[in-house]
Amino acid sequence: MIAGIKAAILDEDRRGPQELNGHVPPQILFMEINQLISEQWLAPEVRAALFRALPTVKGITMTEDVPVADGRRGVAFGFDDDGARQSLVLDPQTFRYLGSNSTRLQDRTYERADGSRGTFKAGTVSLTAQLEAKIVNQPGQRS
């Protein structure tokens, strides 16, 4: 599973800017897996295979009983990058995407559009939740 995702990333890189030089850094692999799980419909067996494969990727940690924004709890697969732990949270029985949980590991100061500065303090937590996802026939369709 992971080898296939890496091959797809490298194939895309060969057709584009060719920045990876045949190597997929762990943060890019995590970002691609996160995007795949959170934005695509996946068959149950594919979700299960990703659930089993994620902890085998260097740098990805697994933590049980992690909350998302609506209070549900699941298994978080996290990756520490740029002073934050980004985690995707999955239901441990169905392997469905529940949401995300991000924690600042160190302070990060940023500049706003108006030139003023703000700081995200270490320990700041940001949560999301995916409440519903459906396959529809056209954009804007709700049922």
Side-chain angles (χ1 to χ4, degrees):
M1 176 68 66
I2 298 302
I5 294 170
K6 284 182 178 181
I9 293 168
L10 291 173
D11 181 56
E12 184 176 331
D13 187 56
R14 278 190 290 278
R15 291 181 279 122
Q18 298 181 349
E19 298 171 329
L20 299 180
N21 295 322
H23 172 70
V24 179
Q27 64 269 30
I28 290 178
L29 180 59
F30 179 75
M31 180 185 69
E32 291 292 330
I33 293 171
N34 190 349
Q35 187 175 24
L36 181 67
I37 289 174
S38 64
E39 296 180 11
Q40 302 294 318
W41 182 88
L42 301 173
E45 58 274 9
V46 174
R47 290 193 315 260
L50 281 168
F51 189 91
R52 288 189 302 272
L54 275 164
T56 70
V57 176
K58 183 179 181 180
I60 293 180
T61 59
M62 186 175 100
T63 308
E64 295 182 15
D65 199 34
V66 174
V68 295
D70 68 350
R72 292 176 295 164
R73 302 181 85 79
V75 176
F77 296 95
F79 189 83
D80 296 357
D81 189 31
D82 194 28
R85 175 171 297 120
Q86 306 292 334
S87 298
L88 63 115
V89 183
L90 305 178
D91 182 287
Q93 276 74 46
T94 65
F95 316 115
R96 287 190 186 276
Y97 177 73
L98 298 179
S100 66
N101 183 308
S102 176
T103 304
R104 289 294 320 159
L105 301 174
Q106 60 193 45
D107 290 356
R108 179 173 184 228
T109 301
Y110 60 95
E111 189 170 326
R112 295 184 181 104
D114 66 3
S116 64
R117 292 187 173 278
T119 300
F120 290 113
K121 294 289 188 184
T124 301
V125 176
S126 174
L127 307 173
T128 69
Q130 184 177 75
L131 303 177
E132 183 177 44
K134 292 181 180 181
I135 297 174
V136 295
N137 292 324
Q138 61 191 23
Q141 184 177 353
R142 298 287 177 213
S143 58

